[in-house]
Amino acid sequence: MLVGGIEGGGTKFVCAIGDTSGQVLHRERIPTTTPEETLRRSVEYFQAQQAARGEKLAAIGIASFGPVDLNPASPHYGFITRTPKPGWSYADVAGAVRRAFPDLPVGFDTDVNGAGLAEHRWGAARAWQTFVYITVGTGIGGGGMHEGRTLRGLIHPEMGHLLLPIRADDPLQRGVCPFHAYCFEGLASGPSIEKRWGQRGETLPPDHPAWELEAHYLAHAIMDIMAVLSPEGFVLGGSVMHQRQLFPMIRAKVAELANEYFVHPRLQNLDEYIVPPGLGDDAGVCGGFALALGALEEAQRV
Ligand code: ZN
């Protein structure tokens, strides 16, 4: 059985064909230009793949950048809502796919909820029912599950905009988020690292002070999320988390900040509590597959 997945991002849409084990069989990167062009090319990709393989897809899932409307009762369900990205406000992302494939179940959720679902199905979060997936890259986003369902509410979590105190020795005067002077994304995303140190994070050596400060902000956000949601674990992905030296630094700082307040055997050692994605950089695109399979299972129940 084949499923289609879309990892819809602000710079590219990754469209892919996968199987039920989360294997990526084929993928194509489509630049994010206008919604009309990007969504048309995404639909054409799946049509071409079906034709070339002589096999229909069983479902398609879309893990989209946000903010998105996840309320099935809303007239804007499946839309990106108001976004600073030019042309994309109120783009009907799920509708474009549904209209092209009217017979197929189409799953839709945030990019980070999708990645969290994929980590739950095939990756590092298989044993967890309540957990958080955080991506740290061009932006910061948090998603995941609560008791086996993806996190959503009035809108959906926006953990990248948790407000954090700026550290006194931070060379930045203000974070890079246009909306908030001092938020998680504004202080810890890839662009904030570049602005603070005058060069891209991947060009900084592993022992650069950038990483100690980065771990400081990540640990503060994680501690706050622990206090609100009590997750069974955290999966940290995205390009900044390629800096593997961050993991032990974050764990040590979280332990220090928590100050033994949270009592549970699993928190005695954070090595298996704060972990990299089991799916590596495929967590995002596998999020599309996981949403496709979720939509298929839902369709088979009714
Ligand atoms: Zn912000």
Side-chain angles (χ1 to χ4, degrees):
M1 189 167 77
L2 298 178
V3 292
I6 299 177
E7 180 188 15
T11 55
K12 62 180 187 297
F13 271 46
V14 181
C15 296
I17 304 295
D19 62 18
T20 53
S21 68
Q23 282 295 312
V24 180
L25 304 175
H26 186 269
R27 79 180 87 196
E28 186 165 310
R29 290 177 178 80
I30 296 168
T32 307
T33 55
T34 62
E36 296 72 24
E37 183 184 30
T38 308
L39 295 169
R40 176 181 53 76
R41 288 190 57 189
S42 300
V43 162
E44 286 169 358
Y45 168 79
F46 293 118
Q47 289 167 336
Q49 283 289 317
Q50 285 193 146
R53 293 168 187 273
E55 185 177 344
K56 296 203 88 175
L57 298 173
I60 297 176
I62 307 159
S64 177
F65 75 100
V68 291
D69 190 334
L70 299 178
N71 175 7
S74 159
H76 294 127
Y77 171 72
F79 284 47
I80 287 170
T81 59
R82 203 182 64 207
T83 168
K85 188 160 179 62
W88 283 83
S89 281
Y90 291 93
D92 183 6
V93 175
V97 174
R98 261 201 316 262
R99 283 188 291 277
F101 300 94
D103 302 333
L104 293 190
V106 174
F108 182 75
D109 212 320
T110 66
D111 45 7
V112 277
N113 271 346
L117 273 183
E119 285 293 321
H120 179 65
R121 213 178 254 273
W122 301 297
R126 273 177 291 186
W128 304 336
Q129 299 298 314
T130 297
F131 67 93
V132 169
Y133 176 92
I134 297 174
T135 182
V136 189
T138 311
I140 293 183
M145 295 177 105
H146 178 250
E147 294 184 347
R149 297 168 60 93
T150 61
L151 291 169
R152 51 179 76 181
L154 186 64
I155 306 170
H156 47 73
E158 288 283 10
M159 298 181 207
H161 300 273
L162 281 166
L163 299 185
L164 298 178
I166 191 165
R167 207 167 75 177
D169 64 348
D170 190 329
L172 278 185
Q173 299 297 307
R174 185 192 190 287
V176 299
C177 173
F179 295 90
H180 316 111
Y182 308 115
C183 71
F184 186 19
E185 178 172 296
L187 292 169
S189 60
S192 79
I193 297 170
E194 187 174 353
K195 184 168 183 208
R196 180 181 290 122
W197 305 105
Q199 59 190 98
R200 294 175 62 82
E202 58 266 36
T203 67
L204 296 169
D207 59 352
H208 192 280
W211 304 119
E212 187 277 326
L213 187 59
E214 180 69 14
H216 168 89
Y217 289 128
L218 278 157
H220 273 72
I222 287 169
M223 158 81 197
D224 286 352
I225 296 164
M226 284 172 76
V228 174
L229 192 68
S230 196
E232 294 163 84
F234 286 84
V235 181
L236 309 184
S239 58
V240 171
M241 298 312 304
H242 290 168
Q243 304 288 332
R244 284 296 196 258
Q245 73 278 16
L246 282 171
F247 281 90
M249 295 162 84
I250 293 165
R251 292 176 190 127
K253 285 175 186 289
V254 167
E256 188 187 318
L257 289 169
N259 198 21
E260 300 182 352
Y261 184 78
F262 304 115
V263 180
H264 191 279
R266 291 221 32 238
L267 299 174
Q268 309 256 313
N269 176 343
L270 299 181
D271 290 359
E272 289 173 6
Y273 187 75
I274 299 170
V275 299
L279 301 169
D281 289 337
D282 281 343
V285 70
C286 289
F289 303 155
L291 288 165
L293 289 168
L296 182 65
E297 288 157 7
E298 181 76 30
Q300 286 167 344
R301 264 197 298 274
V302 291

